[in-house]
């Protein structure tokens, strides 16, 4: 018992004190891509050619964060610095179109309406479904519950049954072998159901978009309320997105 | 003359003698009786229509050599199963049967590895043609779990046959995560191939990315600069450390010892944050590329890194001593989920699963490549085969990884980090093995007549090790299943591909 207390003393309180939206991640973290189309050379398509997931089109310059795996190859390929990755982790968006960057500032997240905020704002229970996810996004979602990120201090928790949940969090490109189980789980969550798509695979199929063994992400008949891009998204990307959706930031 | 190659080398197709099916079968059996084991066994379409070429690579761990062997297979020819004599062949035979319709005869339980019958799956996960193994009798009942589990876990289905609390039999059905990875890899650009390799198992990004890069480098006959090898080795050990620490925390959580669970969960994040500082991603994505690495350690951060690793070491020491000194933890860990040594050896288990059951097998020692040729990581071996052994192996290996990292960091200079690949050699077979945190990862790349990748085979350690979980829970209590499962912590995505 004394040793447990000694360890407790040594470990201290490790929960992040800063606001999850203004916290600074290390320089090398590849967060929000910054596009400067005015720097593009005429006819240059180096970025688009370098992109492994077809997330970039060169003229006009746009980058779809829903397909981006944040590998940073485009940044290296661009001769003029028209694309560079910032360490900004505020990436989540409520609309698919808001993930398509073109160098203009756009509204990213529309907060839930008053009634949904009343229902979910102080207590949000989520059911996670991994549907072909590689365990990258899943591990980061687990991490949101650890003592550092401590999602439960915001009332956000992952629960064991869809019947106990307010929404589902989907990861993976939705493998054909998980399609039925995903639909069954979705149907088992009480309405209104919040749907959160986490990671490039769930949003667009990611690197598996061409594979006939997947559904290229969340099927269109399951309407998504929040897109959390990344490969995998840092736990703070998820938390910032959900808290902003709930009007908590 | 039997051809040989070493880990990370390529061999021309024509140097591999084509055996008849009978010769292939007996040569494989003979080699495995005299100390070798199956590293990989698969088939590729042959140029002649209606034919396949079977390709096996056997590993002789004591001599650090690999033996490739090949045989043509005409569609429909019966192939007497090796499994009754050589149980480690079972998974490979099931895969050959599923993917290429190789007529395996006499296999004790031929059933799909990953394929599901989509049309039949609207009312549940059962496949009509492959019913679950069933035990009948008074008081016998069945428990089904998954594919959607209670926690944030990948999908898989577990079907238990129980008598009261006692588990008589566990059947594991996987395949839910199948994304068609091997096929996707063949049609992808090289940049995309790297990302696909990183996505085989998202918790083993570095293990698989290094294996893939080694295959490409072997095909291009290009060696990697020393600084790149060291960076890869350090990143691989950080990955091992993060996962082992996380698993120890999860084990503590499963026996409700929450102080250790909370501290280890935090500590795992600290290690991931080092990977983030190194590569820009918490899992080390985009660090490894064929030819080298894209970034390395910033020398100005050396002092802070060394200090941070020392802090992690001290924390881990203190927290794990809490685990080993708490009777309620030990009483759940000890004698739970035993995998006997003979079973581990016969079924060809790898990684911490094998080493916790007294089978001394570690690619870093047996088939060293890259940084491990120059810096040796001592092998950890525990023989009791229970949950305690698997926890102890993880703890010891974490400490060894920390030592390796501190040694490497002390005098590391990030000089040359990469080299341009030479042209791809046509008609070669390249083999790469990496000791990932779950165990032996094997990748094989085959090139066609223009040097293009014509086949690619991936063996994740979980492909072999899932059977260990089924063995471990047999005759145990069903309430120990979560603990047993966590003690292996196998990959669904890596198995399902």
């Amino acid at each position: 018992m004394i040793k447990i207390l000694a360890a407790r003393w040594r470990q201290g309180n490790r929960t992040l004190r800063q606001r999850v939206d203004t916290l600074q991640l290390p320089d090398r973290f590849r967060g929000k891509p910054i596009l400067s189309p005015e720097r593009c050379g005429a006819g240059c398509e180096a970025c688009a050619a370098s992109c492994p997931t077809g997330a970039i089109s060169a003229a006009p310059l746009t980058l779809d964060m829903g397909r981006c795996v944040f590998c940073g190859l485009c940044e290296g390929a661009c001769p003029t610095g028209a694309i560079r990755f910032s360490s900004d982790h505020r990436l989540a968006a409520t609309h698919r179109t808001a993930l398509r960057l073109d160098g203009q500032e756009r509204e990213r997240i529309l907060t839930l309406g008053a009634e949904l905020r009343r229902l979910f704002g102080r207590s949000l229970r989520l059911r996670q479904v991994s549907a072909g996810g590689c365990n990258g996004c899943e591990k980061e979602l687990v991490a949101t519950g650890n003592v550092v990120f401590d999602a439960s201090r915001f009332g956000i928790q992952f629960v064991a049954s869809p019947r106990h949940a307010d929404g589902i969090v989907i990861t993976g490109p939705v493998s054909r072998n998980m399609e039925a189980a995903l639909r069954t789980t979705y149907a088992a969550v009480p309405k209104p159901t919040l749907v959160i798509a986490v990671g490039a695979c769930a949003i667009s199929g990611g690197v598996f978009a061409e594979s006939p063994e997947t559904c290229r992400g969340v099927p269109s008949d399951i309407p998504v309320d929040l897109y959390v891009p990344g490969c995998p998204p840092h736990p703070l990307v998820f938390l910032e997105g959900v808290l902003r959706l709930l009007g908590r930031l | 003359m039997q051809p040989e190659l070493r880990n990370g080398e390529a061999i021309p197709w024509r140097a591999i003698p084509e055996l008849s099916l009978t010769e292939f079968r007996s040569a494989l059996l003979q080699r495995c009786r005299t100390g070798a084991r199956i590293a990989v066994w698969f088939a590729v379409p042959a140029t002649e229509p209606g034919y396949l070429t079977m390709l096996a690579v056997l590993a002789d761990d004591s001599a650090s050599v690999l033996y490739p062997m090949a045989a043509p297979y005409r569609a429909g020819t019966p192939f007497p199963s090796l499994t009754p004599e050589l149980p480690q062949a079972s998974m490979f035979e099931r895969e050959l049967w599923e993917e290429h319709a190789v007529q395996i005869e006499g296999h004790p339980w031929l059933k799909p590895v990953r394929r599901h019958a989509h049309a039949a799956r609207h009312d549940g996960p059962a496949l009509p043609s492959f019913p679950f193994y069933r035990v009948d009798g008074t008081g016998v009942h069945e428990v089904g779990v998954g594919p959607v589990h209670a926690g944030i876990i990948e999908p898989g289905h577990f079907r238990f046959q129980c008598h009261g609390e006692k588990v008589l039999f566990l059947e594991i059905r996987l395949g839910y995560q199948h994304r068609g990875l091997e096929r996707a890899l063949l049609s992808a650009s090289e940049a995309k191939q790297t990302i696909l390799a990183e996505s085989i198992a998202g918790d083993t990004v570095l293990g698989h990315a290094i294996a893939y890069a080694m295959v490409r480098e072997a095909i291009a006959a290009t060696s990697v600069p020393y600084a790149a090898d060291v960076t890869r080795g350090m990143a691989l050990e950080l990955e091992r450390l993060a996962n082992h620490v996380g698993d120890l925390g999860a084990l503590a959580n499963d026996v409700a010892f929450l102080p250790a669970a909370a501290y280890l969960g935090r500590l795992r994040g600290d290690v991931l944050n080092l990977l983030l500082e190194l590569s820009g991603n918490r899992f080390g994505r985009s660090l490894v590329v064929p030819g080298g690495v894209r970034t390395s350690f910033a020398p100005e951060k050396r002092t802070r890194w060394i200090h941070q690793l020392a802090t992690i070491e001290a924390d881990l020491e203190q927290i794990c001593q809490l685990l080993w000194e708490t009777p309620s933890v030990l009483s759940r860990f000890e004698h739970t989920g035993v995998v006997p040594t003979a079973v581990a050896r016969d079924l060809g288990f790898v990684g911490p699963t094998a080493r916790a059951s007294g089978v001394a097998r570690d690619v870093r020692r047996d088939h060293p490549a890259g940084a491990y040729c120059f810096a040796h990581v001592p092998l950890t071996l525990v023989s009791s085969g229970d949950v305690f052994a698997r926890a102890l192996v993880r703890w010891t290996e974490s400490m060894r990884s920390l030592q390796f990292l501190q040694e490497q960091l002390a005098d590391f200079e990030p000089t040359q980090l990469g080299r341009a690949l030479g042209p791809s050699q046509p008609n070669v077979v390249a083999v790469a093995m990496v000791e990932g945190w779950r165990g032996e990862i094997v990748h094989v790349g085959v090139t066609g007549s223009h040097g293009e990748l014509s086949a690619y085979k991936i063996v994740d350690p979980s492909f072999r090790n899932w059977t260990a979980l089924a063995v471990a829970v047999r005759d145990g209590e069903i309430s120990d299943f979560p603990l047993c499962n966590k003690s292996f912590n196998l990959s669904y995505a890596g198995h399902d591909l």
Side-chain angles (χ1 to χ4, degrees):
Chain A
M1 188 65 200
I2 287 181
K3 284 181 177 168
I4 293 175
L5 289 171
R8 180 72 189 83
W9 178 259
R10 180 184 157 88
Q11 294 299 320
N13 183 350
R14 301 303 187 107
T15 306
L16 289 174
R17 298 295 175 91
Q18 301 95 317
R19 281 171 60 110
V20 298
D21 53 344
T22 53
L23 205 135
Q24 276 293 313
L25 285 167
D27 296 344
R28 283 192 188 176
F29 173 71
R30 284 182 298 276
K32 189 177 184 178
I34 307 292
L35 269 55
S36 315
E38 68 281 0
R39 294 194 185 179
C40 288
C44 176
E45 294 191 344
C47 54
S50 74
C51 181
T53 56
I56 305 176
S57 57
L61 181 63
T62 58
L63 188 154
D64 182 359
M65 287 201 296
R67 301 176 81 165
C68 180
V69 291
F70 296 79
C71 66
L73 285 176
C74 52
E75 189 177 28
C78 177
T80 59
I83 298 185
R84 64 179 185 83
F85 281 84
S86 71
S87 61
D88 187 353
H89 63 277
R90 292 167 297 182
L91 306 173
T94 42
H95 291 82
R96 187 68 182 85
T97 47
L99 295 176
R100 295 199 184 94
L101 306 176
D102 56 5
Q104 309 288 318
E105 276 303 312
R106 287 227 164 68
E107 190 158 34
R108 206 164 41 91
I109 294 185
L110 299 174
T111 306
L112 291 177
E115 176 59 13
L116 288 177
R117 276 216 310 275
R118 190 186 64 78
L119 281 172
F120 301 145
R122 286 162 24 127
S123 162
L124 181 66
R125 298 288 183 268
L126 298 166
R127 171 65 260 198
Q128 206 274 321
V129 181
S130 168
C134 68
N135 207 23
C137 292
E138 291 80 357
K139 285 263 183 191
E140 290 299 54
L141 289 171
V142 172
T144 61
N146 71 22
V147 294
V148 177
F149 299 107
D150 194 14
S152 59
R153 69 191 148 136
F154 305 111
I156 301 167
Q157 263 177 8
F158 287 93
V159 291
S161 167
R163 297 279 190 221
H164 304 158
D166 303 310
I168 60 171
V169 179
I170 304 167
T171 54
V174 186
S175 48
R176 292 273 171 216
N177 290 351
M178 266 307 282
E179 190 184 352
L182 171 64
R183 286 183 197 283
T184 311
T185 310
Y186 174 64
V189 180
K191 301 278 177 281
T193 310
L194 212 60
V195 178
I196 305 175
V198 170
C201 289
I203 299 173
S204 68
V207 278
F208 300 106
E210 276 88 50
S211 171
E213 305 288 343
T214 75
C215 306
R216 315 184 63 171
V218 179
S220 53
D221 56 310
I222 299 181
V224 176
D225 298 290
L226 185 71
Y227 297 92
V228 184
C231 186
H234 191 283
L236 287 175
V237 181
F238 176 81
L239 278 182
E240 194 271 344
V242 175
L243 289 174
R244 199 165 288 276
L245 178 72
L246 297 174
R248 300 277 302 267
L249 285 176
Chain B
M1 171 64 190
Q2 169 70 46
E4 295 177 6
L5 76 160
R6 283 174 190 276
N7 182 14
E9 288 182 353
I11 185 169
W13 259 121
R14 58 181 155 69
I16 308 172
E18 280 217 342
L19 309 172
S20 72
L21 275 186
T22 320
E23 289 167 342
F24 179 88
R25 195 182 176 284
S26 59
L28 202 154
L29 213 49
Q30 187 54 35
R31 279 274 177 212
C32 288
R33 279 189 183 134
T34 52
R37 61 190 176 84
I38 304 172
V40 57
W41 177 16
F42 65 112
V44 294
T47 38
E48 204 174 329
Y51 273 85
L52 296 167
T53 306
M54 271 200 206
L55 181 67
V57 178
L58 308 184
D60 185 335
D61 296 336
S62 56
S64 303
V65 293
L66 305 170
Y67 303 114
M69 46 205 292
Y73 174 82
R74 189 165 58 86
T77 317
F79 184 86
S81 171
L82 283 163
T83 303
E85 291 160 273
L86 191 69
Q88 57 170 306
S90 171
M91 287 303 290
F92 294 104
E93 290 189 334
R94 281 173 56 192
E95 197 184 43
L96 284 164
W97 167 78
E98 174 176 277
E99 293 199 357
H100 301 285
V102 173
Q103 296 300 302
I104 307 285
E105 289 195 344
H107 187 288
W109 199 6
L110 210 52
K111 58 174 180 168
V113 179
R114 330 185 154 90
R115 195 150 294 172
H116 293 186
H118 296 293
R121 288 195 58 254
H122 288 302
D123 54 352
L127 275 173
S129 48
F130 295 95
F132 289 104
Y133 182 82
R134 231 183 109 154
V135 180
D136 286 319
T138 314
V140 174
H141 63 105
E142 193 177 68
V143 180
V145 182
V148 179
H149 299 296
I152 307 177
I153 319 170
E154 296 175 73
H157 184 84
F158 302 102
R159 188 65 66 101
F160 299 88
Q161 309 297 319
C162 296
H163 187 260
E165 288 283 294
K166 187 178 169 185
V167 177
L168 301 174
F169 195 82
L170 163 63
E171 184 174 351
I172 303 170
R173 177 169 292 172
L174 300 172
Y176 297 93
Q177 297 283 69
H178 182 55
R179 296 147 290 165
L181 212 145
E182 288 171 333
R183 197 160 300 162
L185 212 125
L186 285 183
S187 58
S189 69
E190 284 188 22
K192 191 170 175 177
Q193 284 176 351
T194 304
I195 295 164
L196 282 165
E198 289 171 342
S199 309
I200 294 166
D203 46 32
T204 317
V205 167
L206 290 155
H208 281 290
I210 293 170
Y212 165 75
M214 283 169 68
V215 164
R216 287 236 75 108
E217 288 147 11
I219 289 171
T222 305
S223 66
V224 171
Y226 179 67
D229 267 341
V230 174
T231 308
R232 286 180 182 181
M234 290 172 75
L236 188 67
E237 294 310 316
L238 281 172
E239 179 171 271
R240 188 181 327 277
L241 182 60
N243 282 293
H244 279 0
V245 168
D247 280 352
L248 285 165
L251 283 169
N253 192 54
D254 273 1
V255 298
F257 189 58
L258 299 185
Y263 307 152
L264 291 166
R266 189 270 303 171
L267 209 54
R268 168 182 173 272
D270 286 358
V271 182
L272 293 182
N273 289 340
L274 290 178
L275 269 176
L276 170 63
E277 272 191 48
L278 170 63
S279 69
N281 179 287
R282 300 223 305 166
F283 296 86
R285 281 176 179 265
S286 302
L287 176 69
V288 178
V289 285
V293 287
R294 272 166 64 181
T295 58
S296 190
F297 297 84
E300 69 271 14
K301 289 185 178 168
R302 189 197 313 267
T303 321
R304 189 170 57 76
W305 271 64
I306 289 176
H307 175 72
Q308 216 160 335
L309 289 169
T311 312
I312 291 172
E313 193 173 10
D315 277 354
L316 193 58
E317 173 76 32
Q318 187 189 34
I319 300 163
C320 287
Q321 288 311 327
L322 283 185
L323 274 183
W324 315 137
E325 289 172 10
T326 303
S328 65
V329 171
L330 293 183
S331 71
R332 290 291 309 279
F333 280 13
E334 286 178 333
H335 314 296
T336 303
V338 175
V339 177
T341 306
V343 173
R345 189 180 296 119
D346 288 350
L347 285 169
F349 299 151
V350 293
T353 299
R355 295 192 286 277
S357 288
V359 178
R361 194 172 276 172
D362 188 327
V363 175
R364 293 175 294 174
R365 181 195 70 164
D366 302 333
H367 303 276
Y372 302 105
C373 295
F374 309 104
H376 302 286
V377 183
L379 182 134
T380 300
L381 197 64
V382 183
S383 57
S384 56
D386 51 4
V387 171
F388 175 75
R390 289 185 284 277
L392 193 63
V393 165
R394 280 187 172 77
W395 178 62
T396 315
E397 291 190 0
S398 302
M399 291 315 225
R400 298 264 155 89
S401 293
L402 278 161
Q403 282 159 18
F404 176 89
L405 284 159
Q406 285 163 321
E407 281 165 25
Q408 295 300 310
L409 208 54
D411 57 0
F412 175 69
E413 286 303 327
T415 47
Q416 195 190 352
L417 294 182
R419 201 167 275 155
L421 289 191
S424 293
Q425 306 175 72
N427 301 316
V428 294
V429 176
V431 183
M433 296 161 85
V434 171
E435 186 72 20
W437 64 276
R438 283 195 186 93
E440 178 182 294
I441 293 165
V442 185
H443 284 209
V444 181
V446 178
T447 61
S449 52
H450 303 288
E452 80 287 0
L453 216 48
S454 63
Y456 202 86
K457 182 75 210 128
I458 299 156
V459 186
D460 186 86
S462 302
F463 180 71
R464 305 163 199 267
N465 284 358
W466 271 110
T467 315
L469 174 60
V471 171
V473 298
R474 204 172 293 173
D475 293 331
E477 287 187 28
I478 194 166
S479 52
D480 278 334
F481 171 72
L483 183 62
C484 289
N485 190 17
K486 205 60 64 67
S487 75
F488 296 101
N489 191 12
L490 299 170
S491 173
Y492 302 73
H495 173 281
D496 291 348
L497 295 174

